[in-house]
Amino acid sequence: MQGFAGFMWLLSMALIVFSGFALFDAAIRREDAYRAADKKTKPFWLIILGLAFVVNLIFNILSFLPIIGLIATIVYMVDVRPAIRALPGGGRSGRGSGSSSDGPYGPYNGGR
């Protein structure tokens, strides 16, 4: 029985790390990248992934809520993250992500 408890603890820690990584990844992506990829909004994913992270911290892995959080985290990692990373600049915020004239759908050329 102690081996099973140890396995469940490791699984719980893995879920916490997985949901924490997804939350961090969602936080560093640009807000306009979510709209450009047509994947809801950044605040929506931050709330969903934040709730999944907190649920994984509070509840036992055998309860129902961590499973829902795991599904939401998997959806982000498998569907939303690759779509955002496929955009020019990888959807990352910061100065190195593109020109100052870049819009959410590419560079702005002034109507030329």
Side-chain angles (χ1 to χ4, degrees):
M1 198 61 156
Q2 192 174 11
F4 180 72
F7 173 74
M8 294 308 286
W9 182 83
L10 284 175
L11 189 60
S12 178
M13 290 297 114
L15 283 178
I16 291 170
V17 169
F18 184 54
S19 62
F21 173 77
L23 179 62
F24 176 76
D25 186 73
I28 65 170
R29 303 294 172 184
R30 291 190 335 248
E31 201 280 325
D32 59 343
Y34 289 88
R35 289 187 311 244
D38 198 26
K39 301 292 180 186
K40 297 285 184 190
T41 62
K42 183 176 183 174
F44 172 83
W45 283 108
L46 289 177
I47 290 169
I48 295 295
L49 294 173
L51 286 174
F53 182 72
V54 169
V55 163
N56 284 330
L57 283 174
I58 295 174
F59 292 100
N60 186 0
I61 186 69
L62 295 176
S63 66
F64 190 67
L65 291 175
I67 304 301
I68 295 172
L70 175 63
I71 292 170
T73 305
I74 290 172
V75 167
Y76 175 81
M77 293 297 287
V78 175
D79 183 38
V80 178
R81 185 174 186 251
I84 292 172
R85 290 184 74 195
L87 296 173
R92 291 221 172 177
S93 60
R95 293 181 180 250
S97 63
S99 171
S100 63
S101 64
D102 281 356
Y105 306 107
Y108 176 71
N109 61 8
R112 289 181 258 165

